[in-house]
Amino acid sequence: MNSIERVKIGIPELDDLLHGGFIKNSSTVITGGVGTGKTILSLQFLWNGAKTYNEPGLLITIDESPAELRREAAMFGWDLKELEEANPPLLAIIDIATPRAGLPSDERYTLRELDLPLIIKKIYDTHKEINAKRAVVDSLSALGFRYDSLGKIRSIIFQLTSFLNELEVTSLMTVESPENSSISRFGIEEFLAQGVIQLFLRNDDAGNLKRNLQIRKMRSTQHSLKNFFFEISDKGIVILSG
Ligand SMILES: Nc1ncnc2c1ncn2[C@@H]1O[C@H](COP(=O)(O)OP(=O)(O)OP(=O)(O)O)[C@@H](O)[C@H]1O
Ligand SMILES: [Mg+2]
């Protein structure tokens, strides 16, 4: 029997919850409110992929500038520049955030418009250059806001996830979800992705906010449905308990 190939996040407890990691070439949505750890989890996936598994990654950043991301990553000891400058490169960051903010970008990979066909072309070209095995789109919500109808949003998400799957990369897409409401901003992203991981903050019995993680969906595989606590330590995301 053929076993399904897995792509490890490199957070042992989380890989265990997923019975070995993400399914190769699948797309998973990471959903959560502001500051719940979506970007950090995505960076950890790319960092571990490069350092531990020698898999090049593509990071499409729509909200935060590459400079901010490099700074944030450095706090956990993840030197993104080192990956970008490796030969062959282990990371390429496509900067859509800086031009979107109306600022000039001196990044190597940059895109001036938040436009799906242009994004797809840029990912295609960059993928050819670095042979990426992993990709992150942070965040998909920003892309969705450009389009006014749900049908259109559904269509762009479908195109992007199908395209990434076709390129044979395993991808994560972050989606901002308003607190205490449906899983995602538009309520549809999760149905198009193969998997959904939800991050959220909730008060414990003593009234302290705790970080929670739940795997809501993972097509074609078993996974835990339990609620897990995690923390963001100086080494990134660490799962505490179920
Ligand atoms: N070096 C650090 N050590 C510990 N915790 C940190 C560190 N840096 C950030 N954090 C925590 O992580 C949170 C931000 O995480 P992250 O940027 O991944 O959130 P996010 O879900 O992507 O948020 P947004 O929706 O704003 O993009 C901060 O609010 C803070 O609580
Ligand atoms: Mg973020």
Side-chain angles (χ1 to χ4, degrees):
M1 195 180 83
N2 276 341
S3 61
I4 303 174
E5 276 190 85
R6 301 284 178 160
V7 172
K8 287 194 189 298
I9 309 165
I11 302 173
E13 301 82 358
L14 195 46
D15 286 323
D16 285 349
L17 298 183
L18 292 167
H19 291 255
F22 296 123
I23 292 174
K24 195 166 182 241
N25 304 338
S26 68
S27 290
T28 300
V29 163
I30 309 294
T31 178
V34 175
T36 48
K38 303 181 294 295
T39 299
I40 294 171
L41 179 60
S42 305
L43 290 172
Q44 202 161 348
F45 170 70
L46 292 177
W47 173 259
N48 288 339
K51 290 299 276 191
T52 312
Y53 305 105
N54 202 34
E55 294 186 347
L58 258 181
L59 171 55
I60 299 103
T61 180
I62 302 177
D63 292 337
E64 277 185 81
S65 72
E68 283 174 278
L69 289 173
R70 290 184 193 109
R71 237 187 343 263
E72 200 173 332
M75 311 248 291
F76 303 107
W78 309 331
D79 182 353
L80 299 188
K81 265 273 174 239
E82 175 199 321
L83 303 181
E84 296 173 79
E85 287 167 0
N87 187 15
L90 283 164
L91 177 70
I93 304 180
I94 301 178
D95 179 19
I96 308 181
T98 317
R100 225 179 126 228
L103 300 168
S105 170
D106 52 10
E107 291 294 321
R108 172 156 185 195
Y109 307 98
T110 166
L111 200 60
R112 264 187 288 158
E113 263 185 86
L114 194 54
D115 172 74
L116 189 67
L118 291 179
I119 293 176
I120 286 185
K121 170 84 171 65
K122 194 74 179 180
I123 293 176
Y124 182 81
D125 291 345
T126 316
H127 175 264
K128 258 207 314 214
E129 233 182 278
I130 72 158
N131 192 23
K133 299 280 182 250
R134 300 179 178 218
V136 164
V137 183
D138 187 22
S139 79
L140 208 54
S141 311
L143 192 56
F145 277 121
R146 286 261 297 143
Y147 301 91
D148 43 12
S149 79
L150 272 187
K152 183 79 188 160
I153 292 165
R154 194 184 162 92
S155 147
I156 58 159
I157 294 168
F158 182 69
Q159 282 181 60
L160 193 55
T161 48
S162 319
F163 170 70
L164 288 168
N165 296 169
E166 201 61 28
L167 277 186
E168 300 198 342
V169 299
T170 307
S171 60
L172 294 187
M173 311 203 174
T174 66
V175 171
E176 193 192 312
S177 61
E179 297 296 332
N180 308 320
S181 79
S182 62
I183 301 175
S184 63
R185 167 77 64 184
F186 303 103
I188 50 170
E189 298 91 334
E190 58 269 23
F191 303 110
L192 298 166
Q194 280 92 358
V196 178
I197 295 180
Q198 188 175 21
L199 308 181
F200 53 100
L201 290 162
R202 187 186 280 159
N203 283 311
D204 65 9
D205 292 343
N208 300 312
L209 273 181
K210 290 271 187 265
R211 294 187 187 279
N212 294 252
L213 177 151
Q214 231 167 22
I215 301 165
R216 302 290 299 237
K217 156 177 162 180
M218 208 54 69
R219 251 181 222 154
S220 332
T221 184
Q222 288 190 323
H223 61 83
S224 170
L225 285 169
K226 274 167 63 178
N227 188 58
F228 289 84
F229 296 115
F230 71 97
E231 65 176 19
I232 300 178
S233 75
D234 58 1
K235 295 196 172 60
I237 284 177
V238 181
I239 305 287
L240 297 175
S241 66

